[in-house]
DNA sequence: CGACGCTTTGACACAACTCAACAACCGTGG
DNA sequence: CCACGGTTGTTGAGTTGTGTCAAAGCGTCG
């Protein structure tokens, strides 16, 4: 098992403890790690795809482009996240997926994934659980876009990101690296980069959160959570008992 | 098999043809149909739940409430839709679910559902596929809230609803019954009811679409699609080959 | 040093919201 | 049958949050 493949195992273990056999199978079924350059598009909308991506390191985003040239970013998969499960079921992708920084990942081909799901129902359960969590996050995102103001949405976003990164050891309670620029943030939060800038300034001036040279610092977690009406995505939920299915 | 339970079968059959045995099992595993009054809350946020709902007739909505009193409607499940699959995995619901009109549905308990998934992998595949389609629709919704104007979003909404209802025979190309009032539409589309009213007026004045006494009439499907940049959710995709998993 | 990508700021425009009425509709009971 | 209240739809006037356009500042890298 590659050390670098641990993020996935860490995340799945959060849902349910995997045996050594399951863990080593999980490591074995993955391709060798691949590294691509920032900007590389790994999946474009409507592309036929027969594999999933497991992020090991780096930043990427899944998104949808609109005919008027704007784009909506759906998600920023972090290390340990799996991209393309739904696409596998659909056969063709309903979103694009590209690297924002140099990106290291492995892949699993559909047949091997399906075989694994047949042979290791507990692993299948973990993947389903993980997919369900991703879906829950997408719904939070949806609610934010529909009903939260720009500043609430932004605060909420950085809090959620923090929690996801903590899960794989890439953030502390108060800070984490985050190379997302204001154009990218704008596309994720349904705003313009100009307005994101104003919002970040306000958060900074209110001493709640600051973003400087790729580093997010949460200065006042309590007040920030209050502003965002933030509820933890993961911690509020009972840990899964991964029975078959 | 109850005739009234056909909507689910119709929808799953759209994904992959089920055998007679599968169809009758699917009918058998469901509870007797239940009817509840409009307004009844079937699932509230954070509720523990151990069953899924299969809508047979009537209108309902899943939503999230925000502490400031506003709400964001996630989805309007239509007959044949299944509510609560993700909740089953999470053990507690991350959204509320309530009836908007008198509502007829069946339920499937978690253990029986899991048993069915073990015994009939093709049914499991259909449910997963169906869940994936719901997720894809949620993503469309997310994109709309983030990047589309009020009128585009509204047009898009009615087009998508039309297609979903057509799938179960509840709409023609040009019209369908839809008892959603403007408050409800507003909560779904991330707008105020007042603004929805103005948007509907504009759609009416431009002879694209009109909503009168619970009836949606699509007057100019082509222009409406152009306005909304609408792409079919279901038709664009290859029909599934439902192999196990 | 200049070029480029990203951030920051200002002035202005506009889409959508708020508040406040009023009108239409509908079922209910007198 | 009409009067009534509640719900839903409609409209106007004014406000505000966010977008648009334009330009300048700042780092970094070649």
């Amino acid at each position: 098992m590659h050390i670098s493949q641990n993020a996935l195992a860490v995340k799945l273990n959060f849902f349910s403890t995997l045996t050594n056999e399951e863990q080593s199978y999980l490591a074995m079924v993955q391709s060798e790690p691949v590294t691509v350059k920032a900007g590389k598009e790994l999946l474009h909308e409507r592309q036929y795809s027969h594999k999933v991506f497991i992020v090991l390191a780096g930043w990427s985003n899944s998104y949808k482009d609109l005919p008027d040239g704007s784009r909506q970013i759906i998600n920023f998969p972090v290390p340990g996240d799996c991209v393309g499960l739904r696409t596998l079921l659909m056969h063709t992708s309903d979103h694009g997926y590209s690297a924002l920084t140099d990106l290291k990942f492995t892949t699993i081909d559909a047949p091997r994934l399906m075989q694994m799901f047949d042979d290791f129902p507990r692993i299948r359960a973990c993947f389903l659980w993980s997919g369900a969590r991703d879906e829950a996050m997408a719904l939070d995102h949806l609610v934010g876009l529909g009903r939260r103001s720009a500043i609430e949405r932004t605060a909420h976003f950085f809090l959620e990101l923090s929690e996801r990164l903590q899960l794989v050891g890439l953030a502390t309670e108060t800070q984490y690296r985050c190379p997302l620029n204001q154009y990218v943030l704008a596309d994720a939060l349904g705003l313009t980069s100009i307005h994101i800038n104003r919002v970040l300034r306000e958060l900074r001036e209110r001493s709640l959160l600051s973003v400087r040279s790729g580093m997010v610092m949460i200065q006042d977690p309590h007040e920030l959570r209050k502003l965002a009406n933030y509820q933890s995505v993961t911690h509020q939920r009972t840990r899964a008992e991964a029975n078959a299915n």
Side-chain angles (χ1 to χ4, degrees), chain A residues 26-55:
Chain A
L26 194 53
M28 192 201 68
V29 82
Q30 293 174 62
S31 72
E32 286 298 304
V34 181
T35 303
V36 297
K37 287 276 170 224
K40 169 80 177 174
E41 189 179 49
L42 299 171
L43 198 58
H44 59 260
E45 200 169 337
R46 296 170 164 262
Q47 177 178 343
Y48 171 85
S49 172
H50 58 284
K51 63 185 177 203
V52 298
F53 300 93
I54 313 284
V55 178

Side-chain angles (χ1 to χ4, degrees), chain A residues 67-223:
Chain A
D68 68 356
S70 63
R71 79 168 30 188
Q72 175 66 47
I73 292 176
I74 315 281
N75 189 20
F76 298 105
V78 303
D81 283 353
C82 170
V83 176
L85 261 185
R86 189 180 62 259
T87 297
L88 229 54
L89 282 164
M90 296 295 210
H91 290 194
T92 72
S93 183
D94 61 348
H95 61 269
Y97 179 56
S98 70
L100 293 169
T101 63
D102 290 357
L103 187 72
K104 191 160 141 196
F105 61 90
T106 61
T107 59
I108 308 178
D109 288 324
R112 308 182 97 202
L113 190 71
M114 293 313 171
Q115 188 63 49
M116 176 172 73
F117 284 172
D118 280 344
D119 296 344
F120 296 91
R122 285 161 44 88
I123 296 183
R124 181 175 71 212
C126 280
F127 268 82
L128 285 183
W129 174 281
S130 161
R133 196 197 67 137
D134 291 347
E135 201 180 337
M137 287 192 322
L139 288 192
D140 273 351
H141 194 176
L142 186 157
V143 171
L145 291 170
R147 284 288 171 231
R148 277 194 260 263
S149 69
I151 194 166
E152 292 167 344
R153 224 181 294 168
T154 306
H156 195 276
F157 171 79
F158 282 113
L159 285 169
E160 184 192 291
L161 197 50
S162 166
E163 199 172 89
R164 292 172 61 198
L165 290 170
Q166 282 180 51
L167 199 58
V168 288
L170 290 174
T172 68
E173 290 279 339
T174 56
Q175 64 175 341
Y176 53 95
R177 286 208 57 74
C178 168
L180 306 175
N181 70 35
Q182 298 183 354
Y183 294 93
V184 170
L185 290 174
D187 282 347
L189 295 171
L191 301 167
T192 57
S193 63
I194 289 150
H195 200 64
I196 275 282
N197 184 282
R198 293 193 269 248
V199 166
L200 291 179
R201 168 151 54 107
E202 183 170 351
L203 288 171
R204 194 188 320 131
E205 283 168 356
R206 288 167 65 175
S207 298
L208 296 174
L209 173 142
S210 71
V211 186
R212 283 279 179 218
S213 57
M215 201 74 185
V216 174
M217 270 162 295
I218 298 177
Q219 294 165 339
D220 190 337
H222 184 256
E223 278 301 307

Side-chain angles (χ1 to χ4, degrees), chain A residues 10-25:
Chain A
V10 166
K11 204 183 70 161
L12 295 188
N13 263 307
F14 183 81
F15 301 134
S16 171
T17 309
L18 295 176
T19 65
N20 284 342
E21 189 197 1
E22 287 163 342
Q23 299 220 16
S24 51
Y25 190 93

